[in-house]
Amino acid sequence: MTRISHMTLEICVESFEDAKIAADHGADRIEYCSALAVGGLTPTPGALARIADIAVPCFVMIRPRPGNFVYCTSEIETMTREIALARDAGAQGVVFGASREDGSLDTDALHLLCDAAAGMAKTLHRAFDVTPDAFVALETAVDLGLDRILTSGQQNTAEEGCALIADLIARAAGRIIILPGSGVTAANARTLRAKTGAAQLHASCKHKAKPGEEGRVATDARAVRALRRAMDH
C-alpha cells in the first residue's frame, strides 16, 4: 500500500492521562479539555500544570461553561485569564469561539481573545458551525488572524459535512487551516481526505462508556492507533 503525505492528527482529551495515551499512540497534537461530555471546557489548573509532561503540542480549550457560545463581558474576562494560564503552563495554542445571539461570530469578543492569545496558535472551535453563513464566518476568521477552524461542515458529523468542508478548504486557499472534526474514525478517515483534501483531522477516539462511567469520555488507545494507520496509508 502506498504511503501518502503525513496528515496531522489532533485528539481531544479530557484528562492528563488521556493526553498521554493519545500522544503515545499516534496523536500529533492534543486538544486539552475537561468535560468532553458537554463539548469540552477549560481544563483545571492542576491539569494545565501537567502540559509540560505531554510529549506533543497541546492546544487548550478556552470555554468557561457548557451551553451556547454567547458570552457576557465577565465571561470574556474569565476567558482571557484562562488564556494567560494556558500560556504560562506551556500550551502552544488555544481553542475558543464566541457568538452573537443570531449565531454570527462575535467579532468584538474574538478580537479580545485573539489579543490575549497573541503569539499562540489560535483555533476557532465549533461556534463556527452555528453561524448562518459559513463563508462570511470564514472571512471573519481570516481577518481576525485565527490559524484554523474546527468544523463538521455545519452537519452532525464531518462525513456528512464533506461538501461544505471541501468548499471551505477551496475558499480558504491556504489562508487558514480547515480542520474537520466530529465522528472522525479509522473507517472514514480516507474518505474525508479524498472528498475534502484536508491535511489535518480532529477526533476523540473515545471508549464506549462503562457502567459507572457515565459522563466520562476516555481515550481508546486502539482507536487512536487505528486512525493513525488509516491516515498514514
Side-chain angles (χ1 to χ4, degrees):
M1 193 174 291
T2 301
R3 185 179 178 88
I4 57 177
S5 58
H6 183 83
M7 293 183 76
T8 298
L9 173 57
E10 178 179 276
I11 300 292
C12 58
V13 304
E14 67 174 24
S15 75
F16 170 71
E17 289 302 323
D18 289 331
K20 286 184 64 180
I21 290 168
D24 288 346
H25 293 277
D28 298 294
R29 184 172 66 233
I30 300 299
E31 183 188 86
Y32 203 37
C33 311
S34 64
L36 283 178
V38 294
L41 302 178
T42 306
T44 65
L48 288 174
R50 308 294 309 268
I51 284 178
D53 298 321
I54 299 169
V56 298
C58 286
F59 288 4
V60 170
M61 173 64 76
I62 304 297
R63 188 178 173 217
R65 57 160 173 79
N68 65 24
F69 310 117
V70 181
Y71 298 119
C72 67
T73 300
S74 176
E75 288 172 321
I76 294 298
E77 171 62 22
T78 295
M79 293 169 76
T80 63
R81 294 183 183 210
E82 290 173 338
I83 290 170
L85 290 172
R87 182 197 301 279
D88 291 346
Q92 294 196 6
V94 284
V95 182
F96 53 74
S99 304
R100 298 191 180 100
E101 291 287 350
D102 65 357
S104 62
L105 295 179
D106 184 341
T107 52
D108 292 336
L110 289 170
H111 270 298
L112 291 172
L113 296 173
C114 286
D115 286 348
M120 304 176 78
K122 296 174 284 295
T123 300
L124 175 63
H125 64 39
R126 292 185 62 198
F128 179 87
D129 283 333
V130 301
T131 58
D133 189 319
F135 297 109
V136 169
L138 169 66
E139 297 304 327
T140 298
V142 171
D143 291 344
L144 285 165
L146 289 153
D147 297 291
R148 60 184 50 74
I149 296 169
L150 172 61
T151 179
S152 64
Q154 300 196 328
Q155 300 296 323
N156 288 330
T157 69
E159 190 168 9
E160 293 174 73
C162 268
L164 179 57
I165 292 170
D167 287 345
L168 288 166
I169 290 172
R171 188 77 63 93
R175 294 175 297 157
I176 192 169
I177 296 165
I178 305 299
L179 175 61
S182 186
V184 174
T185 68
N188 61 21
R190 297 178 197 178
T191 297
L192 285 166
R193 176 163 184 155
K195 289 187 175 181
T196 68
Q200 304 188 11
L201 292 177
H202 170 101
S204 60
C205 292
K206 59 189 176 184
H207 277 294
K208 184 177 180 180
K210 300 175 183 177
E213 290 189 346
E214 292 78 8
R216 167 84 167 103
V217 180
T219 303
D220 185 336
R222 290 174 298 180
V224 177
R225 289 197 304 270
L227 179 52
R228 177 77 271 165
R229 285 194 298 270
M231 291 170 65
D232 283 349
H233 295 88

